[in-house]
Amino acid sequence: MSEFAGLGTDLGMSTGMIPITAPPETPKLPPREWVKANLFSSPFNSVLTVVASIIILAITRGLMSFIFNPQRQWDATATNLRLLMTPDDDISLRRVMNVPARGIGKGDRITLYMGVSPQLAISM
């Protein structure tokens, strides 16, 4: 047997340390009582819960109507993401930036090309 056998509970008391105890049991509440105890426990919490719920619902509704609006054209987003993920595709980059002419000056084009492809800026 080990020389420390039987010292587990006495060790804390003999050295002056506080004994370790298990955390208190929290009662398991049904959902309705949990909501009442945590979200509607005071008038302030009730108002805060209602206001926060209204704000969250408004943001969710606006976001969903933006995403699923039939007038949105998400094809352009997919094209631009493809361009972003393949920086070596200089032909697509030139098409997006300057065809048709959008009033982007040569200095601006060089600055943008330097950020994407330094070899392309040298060829300008």
Side-chain angles (χ1 to χ4, degrees):
M1 261 221 195
S2 171
E3 63 187 75
F4 297 108
L7 295 178
T9 56
D10 297 327
L11 185 63
M13 297 306 284
S14 64
T15 60
M17 295 174 57
I18 299 173
I20 299 173
T21 60
E25 292 273 334
T26 56
K28 303 292 183 200
L29 298 175
R32 178 181 231 166
E33 290 180 23
W34 183 90
V35 167
K36 185 177 179 182
N38 292 302
L39 300 179
F40 297 101
S41 60
S42 69
F44 177 73
N45 283 349
S46 299
V47 170
L48 190 63
T49 299
V50 170
V51 169
S53 298
I54 291 171
I55 290 172
I56 290 170
L57 288 173
I59 290 172
T60 304
R61 182 176 180 225
L63 186 62
M64 290 297 136
S65 67
F66 173 78
I67 291 173
F68 296 111
N69 188 342
Q71 295 176 348
R72 299 283 176 244
Q73 297 177 358
W74 293 107
D75 297 340
T77 305
T79 302
N80 289 333
L81 283 175
R82 192 175 314 116
L83 176 64
L84 178 67
M85 295 300 169
T86 55
D88 296 332
D89 189 6
D90 297 332
I91 296 169
S92 295
L93 180 65
R94 288 179 191 244
R95 180 187 57 81
V96 168
M97 288 182 57
N98 202 29
V99 176
R102 294 182 173 95
I104 298 175
K106 183 174 182 177
D108 295 330
R109 281 197 311 264
I110 290 174
T111 304
L112 290 170
Y113 285 142
M114 285 298 289
V116 175
S117 176
Q119 292 80 18
L120 188 61
I122 294 170
S123 69
M124 301 249 357

